[in-house]
Amino acid sequence: MIKILNSTTALHNGVHMPWLGIGVFKVEEGPELVNAIKFAIKHGYRSIDTAAIYENEAGVGQAIREGIKEAGISREELFVTSKVWNSDLGYESTIAAYETSLQKLGLDYLDLYLIHWPVENKYKEAWRAMETLYKEGKVKAIGVSNFQVHHLKELMKDAEVKPMVNQVEYHPRLTQTEVQQFCQRNGIQLEAWSPLMQGQLLDHPTLLEIANKYNKTVPQIIIRWDLQNGVITIPKSTKEHRIIENSNIFDFQLTEEDMNRINGLNQNHRVGPDPDNFDF
Ligand SMILES: NC(=O)c1ccc[n+]([C@@H]2O[C@H](COP(=O)([O-])OP(=O)(O)OC[C@H]3O[C@@H](n4cnc5c(N)ncnc54)[C@H](OP(=O)(O)O)[C@@H]3O)[C@@H](O)[C@H]2O)c1
């Protein structure tokens, strides 16, 4: 059983990535953002997920500097992810976007850089830039987000470096079996975004029943389910008590039967955009 908050999994290039991190989508620059990340670091989180389009990289950087100082840890003990936005997909523009993200964050490297969305006719050129950044040692790992199996196949036709991670919408209503199996077969680590379905699963009767059985909360059951399915996850909260709650998942184990009950809730239902049909 994976027991501790900073436990990691090895990506296919040997880089270790924490199973659990904090996400900061829709958290605007300011004290709420800075405090959320500092709470997370204080309570043992070691992974932070942001993106250029969240327009909060400067605040994330400030929180990292203050958080690691207060916790007495080094930058190297953190795992920081950002993503290149659609308008910057291209060879030169992706490299420039990476430099801009680093500058805003005030960091000299990222642990993981992702292509945020698979924009047709653009993502392969951007991937060449990601490979350059990786080969030059500027980033520890590179990956993609919102890639379906056909996008991954197309990317891998010409890729020299296989993506290390695919970050997709994933929760009990959207279990992404096809993507998950493909990623597993190809050594690509799956990572869940909106793991709590943006808070819309908290009252689900099956999840509540399972939560009561283990004396846990619904978010804890879902995050534990991710972990036991081998999926990295990054629930977002700005509230200290929830940040703590979401990390208290390493002291119990769901039975196979309960795992299957949760898997069975799948309805292929998305709360976010469809990677095969988006217009941004
Ligand atoms: N790659 C992509 O395209 C993509 C897309 C979307 C998201 N993401 C990443 O994934 C992260 C997580 O996804 P998300 O933010 O969309 O949604 P989420 O993590 O599924 O849900 C966040 C919502 O749940 C609430 N919440 C969190 N913990 C809770 C708890 N223990 N009890 C009750 N409510 C709780 C939060 O409210 P409070 O803050 O008020 O606690 C917030 O409203 C994002 O922050 C981002 O980093 C990536």
Side-chain angles (χ1 to χ4, degrees), residues 86-112:
N86 302 353
S87 51
D88 286 321
L89 296 180
Y91 187 78
E92 298 297 340
S93 48
T94 294
I95 288 179
Y98 183 71
E99 291 303 330
T100 304
S101 282
L102 282 186
Q103 252 171 26
K104 286 188 177 165
L105 285 156
L107 298 175
D108 51 17
Y109 72 92
L110 287 184
D111 296 277
L112 179 64

Side-chain angles (χ1 to χ4, degrees), residues 204-245:
H204 192 283
T206 305
L207 294 172
L208 274 172
E209 190 194 315
I210 296 174
N212 288 337
K213 174 174 160 189
Y214 291 88
N215 210 8
K216 289 283 175 184
T217 64
V218 167
Q220 289 169 331
I221 294 297
I222 296 174
I223 298 165
R224 181 72 210 182
W225 167 80
D226 285 315
L227 191 68
Q228 288 184 218
N229 271 334
V231 178
I232 286 177
T233 190
I234 43 169
K236 172 261 170 186
S237 180
T238 53
K239 316 279 184 305
E240 186 169 19
H241 68 282
R242 288 177 174 170
I243 290 170
I244 297 170
E245 175 187 335

Side-chain angles (χ1 to χ4, degrees), residues 65-256:
R65 283 188 296 283
E66 293 177 12
I68 60 176
K69 198 167 161 201
E70 285 168 23
I73 61 167
S74 65
R75 150 66 183 112
E76 288 69 34
E77 290 174 69
L78 286 187
F79 191 100
V80 184
T81 301
S82 193
K83 315 181 192 91
V84 53
W85 186 242
N86 302 353
S87 51
D88 286 321
L89 296 180
Y91 187 78
E92 298 297 340
S93 48
T94 294
I95 288 179
Y98 183 71
E99 291 303 330
T100 304
S101 282
L102 282 186
Q103 252 171 26
K104 286 188 177 165
L105 285 156
L107 298 175
D108 51 17
Y109 72 92
L110 287 184
D111 296 277
L112 179 64
Y113 198 44
L114 303 176
I115 293 184
H116 208 146
W117 285 89
V119 181
E120 293 298 340
N121 304 318
K122 283 195 169 179
Y123 63 80
K124 286 178 83 168
E125 194 62 6
W127 188 251
R128 280 211 307 122
M130 306 287 277
E131 291 177 326
T132 299
L133 291 167
Y134 177 67
K135 284 192 235 159
E136 289 179 351
K138 293 189 170 155
V139 59
K140 305 278 181 205
I142 51 176
V144 295
S145 179
N146 300 303
F147 274 46
Q148 306 274 52
V149 170
H150 69 93
H151 297 121
L152 289 167
K153 281 185 177 161
E154 183 60 34
L155 185 84
M156 281 158 49
K157 267 189 203 160
D158 304 305
E160 287 177 41
V161 181
K162 210 167 47 171
M164 283 118 207
V165 171
N166 185 17
Q167 184 188 108
V168 298
E169 183 179 340
Y170 180 95
H171 43 68
R173 285 281 188 235
L174 181 69
T175 57
Q176 302 263 26
T177 321
E178 200 199 344
V179 176
Q180 187 169 15
Q181 282 172 359
F182 182 86
C183 286
Q184 226 161 26
R185 277 201 304 276
N186 286 278
I188 301 168
Q189 175 62 49
L190 200 69
E191 180 178 14
W193 63 256
S194 294
L196 306 177
M197 205 176 146
Q198 295 175 350
Q200 292 173 41
L201 286 172
L202 301 176
D203 298 327
H204 192 283
T206 305
L207 294 172
L208 274 172
E209 190 194 315
I210 296 174
N212 288 337
K213 174 174 160 189
Y214 291 88
N215 210 8
K216 289 283 175 184
T217 64
V218 167
Q220 289 169 331
I221 294 297
I222 296 174
I223 298 165
R224 181 72 210 182
W225 167 80
D226 285 315
L227 191 68
Q228 288 184 218
N229 271 334
V231 178
I232 286 177
T233 190
I234 43 169
K236 172 261 170 186
S237 180
T238 53
K239 316 279 184 305
E240 186 169 19
H241 68 282
R242 288 177 174 170
I243 290 170
I244 297 170
E245 175 187 335
N246 293 347
S247 71
N248 283 334
I249 54 146
F250 296 94
D251 56 355
F252 75 111
Q253 190 155 17
L254 295 164
T255 61
E256 204 180 322

